[in-house]
Each structure stands twice: as C-alpha cells, then as structure tokens.
Amino acid sequence: PGRFPPSPENEGTNHQQLLSLFTPLASPVFSAIRWYQVQETSIGDAFVDGFEHEDFEDPTHGRANYVDECTALEKKLTYAGKHT
C-alpha cells in the first residue's frame, strides 16, 4: 500500500514530512534576518560628510561624471536636509 491518498492515521505524518522538507530551506532566511542591525545613521550634514567626493575622469570611459562636493551640492546632485 502506498502513502497516498492520505489516511487519517498518516495525515499528521505527511504534514510533518512536508514541514521537515521546507524548514531547512527557510531557516537560513529567517536566521539571516536576525543578523542585520543598523550600525550607523547619517542624517543631514553627516550624510554628505560621509562620502569622499572626488572629481576625476571615468576610468571605464563610460557616461559617469564624477564631481567634487561643492559641484554636487550646487547642482543638487545630492541633498540632505535636517531630517533626511
């Protein structure tokens, strides 16, 4: 006799077997969530100060334009308010 269709005596066993198949797959996801914590916040001027602004040619010769902090703020390429 096979395991299907489920009978009342093995129905709980089938659910336990199914759960045991998915638990190892899900546990790394749930355990990883516990490990992420905010280590620092950057709000307002601290956000802008947290970057190292450099003005140089794109080494990959792509379409990126690297600018200094003054240019970035002047042209509103970056913004940080009191609470953002």
Side-chain angles (χ1 to χ4, degrees):
R3 293 184 359 197
F4 296 100
S7 62
E9 60 271 1
N10 71 5
E11 187 172 327
T13 305
N14 287 339
H15 289 282
Q16 289 170 349
Q17 289 171 344
L18 186 60
L19 184 59
S20 69
L21 289 174
F22 288 109
T23 301
L25 297 173
S27 63
V29 173
F30 291 118
S31 65
I33 291 170
R34 291 183 293 160
W35 294 103
Y36 289 104
Q37 297 178 17
V38 174
Q39 293 185 350
E40 66 180 276
T41 57
S42 297
I43 300 170
D45 290 336
F47 175 77
V48 176
D49 293 340
F51 289 92
E52 197 171 312
H53 295 82
E54 297 184 56
D55 180 12
F56 59 90
E57 292 294 319
D58 182 0
T60 64
H61 308 290
R63 293 191 268 176
N65 295 317
Y66 295 90
V67 297
D68 59 40
E69 182 176 345
C70 291
T71 303
L73 290 168
E74 181 181 294
K75 294 189 175 198
K76 302 203 184 315
L77 302 173
T78 186
Y79 169 80
K82 265 185 177 175
H83 305 288
T84 60

